[in-house]
Amino acid sequence: MPSLKLCHKFPRDIFTHVMVDGGAVPYILGGANIMCPGLTNTCGSLSPGQPELPSPKDADSEEEVDGFPAEYLPKGQPVVIYAEGKEFALAVGTMKMSADNIRTKNKGMAIEVAHFLGDGLYMSDGIN
């Protein structure tokens, strides 16, 4: 899982990423995990920069859905988290549910945040 300082040095398309609704930002910056509604609201996205992915259940093939693996963003996948309208990432974390489950259930914790803007790792000058 990359640190935020590394994420800020490269374009966002290099990392697997999601976008949260602006209302979730203050909570994430306080260290909270990301709940499903923060990703499924109109400004949140599980596939930013692309049309919203159809559910794998709607696909003809179990191998791919519109060029993405059927299980796009599976449980356990590390992701970089961006906020709507912001250029730089605000957190990194791990998917606690698959993208398909997030879209279907829309309840509970979706991403466990491991590192966010302003935490101890971000504020450190370096690691020896």
Side-chain angles (χ1 to χ4, degrees):
M1 184 174 314
S3 71
L4 283 173
K5 289 183 180 182
L6 179 69
C7 293
H8 292 170
K9 291 182 180 183
F10 294 97
R12 73 172 60 192
D13 294 337
I14 289 177
F15 303 103
T16 303
H17 62 281
V18 296
M19 187 177 306
V20 294
D21 184 85
V25 173
Y27 300 101
I28 297 167
L29 294 178
N33 293 317
I34 298 168
M35 306 306 275
C36 292
L39 296 167
T40 57
N41 284 348
T42 54
C43 295
S45 176
L46 290 165
S47 57
Q50 316 227 358
E52 193 59 40
L53 297 173
S55 169
K57 295 175 187 167
D58 299 335
D60 294 333
S61 162
E62 291 187 18
E63 297 297 316
E64 287 192 359
V65 178
D66 288 349
F68 288 92
E71 188 57 31
Y72 180 70
L73 293 178
K75 180 178 178 178
Q77 170 79 41
V79 290
V80 177
I81 300 131
Y82 289 86
E84 62 171 311
K86 301 297 180 191
E87 181 181 354
F88 296 106
L90 71 136
V92 293
T94 306
M95 298 290 291
K96 296 314 266 180
M97 302 172 115
S98 69
D100 188 41
N101 281 345
I102 291 169
R103 276 192 238 102
T104 338
K105 295 180 182 174
N106 199 25
K107 265 184 155 172
M109 181 175 54
I111 300 173
E112 182 177 14
V113 173
H115 170 42
F116 56 92
L117 281 176
D119 70 2
L121 178 60
Y122 187 79
M123 300 305 283
S124 67
D125 292 331
I127 300 172
N128 296 330

